[in-house]
Amino acid sequence: MLRLTAKHLIWLKILFHLIGLVPLLLLVWSVQTGRAGGDPVQYIIHFTGMGALNALVATLLVSPIAKALKWGVLLQTRRLVGLYVFAYASLHIAAFLSLDLLFAWELFFSEVVKRPYIVLGAMAYLIISALAITSFKALMRKLGRRWQTLHSGIYLVGLLAPIHFYWSVKSEVIEPTLYLVGLILLLLWRLPRRKKTTLVGQ
Ligand code: HEM
């Protein structure tokens, strides 16, 4: 079986950066060359929203994969992958506010009334932002145990984001259902492990 060690870390990071950045270059290219369909704004919102959701799934997959394949080094890429959730979600929201609402803030509130799922997206984004800001080593040390508690917020994001997706789609339900079920399974995988850690910690 393939063995990953600390010396592979740099290549893993390069690979994950490519996986995060190449789709964004493709998005710019599609929009500029008219390949983004009849409604490019919708295309960008969809693309970046799915990017954020896929990055979230990837972030939550790191630990189970690292454990199953005994690739401990993979755990050191969690922050990098997690920051792509923040980057894609920020672009998703920026696209919505700038290209869809044209920065008409008064429209934002009528949109929230029309599309209440936006509130769930906004809650998820607030948590994601807090996690991104506190993901730096210095803050991690400063916050101590509170850092762990704050970062448990990822569980809530793992529920809010797929529900936001599920609620936003008009007809197709298979894909959002798969994301919701998949993310719930990834969160459930963590439950017994957390309990064990707490007991050990006691
Ligand atoms: C303030 C925060 C957010 C706002 C205002 C927002 C807004 C929107 C809007 C307007 C749509 C388009 C629905 C449509 O008309 O088809 C959408 C869809 C979506 N959003 Fe968000 N969102 C937010 C946060 C998030 C976050 C944090 C994630 C993921 C981590 C996310 C993932 C998605 C996905 C996957 C879709 C479905 C894309 C599609 O099928 O078109 N959103 N969101």
Side-chain angles (χ1 to χ4, degrees):
M1 197 180 34
L2 180 66
R3 249 174 64 93
L4 282 186
T5 61
K7 68 173 194 282
H8 298 111
L9 182 61
I10 182 74
W11 295 109
L12 279 175
K13 286 190 172 178
I14 291 173
L15 175 69
F16 292 165
H17 274 303
L18 286 175
I19 295 173
L21 291 173
V22 170
L24 287 179
L25 295 177
L26 286 176
L27 173 65
V28 173
W29 175 78
S30 310
V31 173
Q32 280 190 338
T33 55
R35 286 175 167 84
D39 187 348
V41 171
Q42 195 52 41
Y43 185 88
I44 296 171
I45 295 175
H46 174 79
F47 191 96
T48 48
M50 292 311 293
L53 198 58
N54 287 329
L56 178 65
V57 172
T59 309
L60 290 169
L61 268 175
V62 170
S63 295
I65 292 179
K67 190 168 162 38
L69 302 177
K70 298 196 169 64
W71 287 350
V73 64
L74 209 55
L75 296 174
Q76 291 179 53
T77 63
R78 259 183 312 187
R79 177 170 169 264
L80 182 159
V81 184
L83 284 176
Y84 273 102
V85 183
F86 176 63
Y88 271 89
S90 302
L91 291 173
H92 174 65
I93 292 155
F96 173 62
L97 295 178
S98 61
L99 306 173
D100 198 356
L101 299 191
L102 304 170
F103 295 114
W105 300 106
E106 64 284 0
L107 270 187
F108 182 77
F109 298 100
S110 56
E111 280 299 312
V112 169
V113 175
K114 254 197 294 177
R115 319 194 230 183
Y117 61 82
I118 286 179
V119 177
L120 299 190
M123 283 162 67
Y125 186 66
L126 281 180
I127 301 172
I128 292 167
S129 307
L131 302 191
I133 293 165
T134 56
S135 70
F136 296 93
K137 277 225 170 72
L139 269 175
M140 204 188 273
R141 269 195 292 266
K142 207 168 168 190
L143 288 170
R145 279 183 78 86
R146 278 175 300 162
W147 188 89
Q148 201 62 49
T149 314
L150 180 67
H151 278 246
S152 309
I154 196 71
Y155 294 88
L156 204 50
V157 176
L159 287 177
L160 290 171
I163 297 175
H164 166 78
F165 175 30
Y166 190 99
W167 202 347
S168 79
V169 294
K170 277 106 206 160
S171 48
E172 214 269 306
V173 290
I174 297 175
E175 196 187 6
T177 307
L178 287 177
Y179 273 96
L180 186 59
V181 172
L183 278 160
I184 289 175
L185 289 177
L186 282 173
L187 298 180
L188 286 177
W189 178 85
R190 283 165 161 81
L191 281 184
R193 309 197 72 249
R194 262 177 67 79
K195 224 182 246 166
K196 233 185 265 166
T197 337
T198 322
L199 285 176
V200 170
Q202 274 171 354

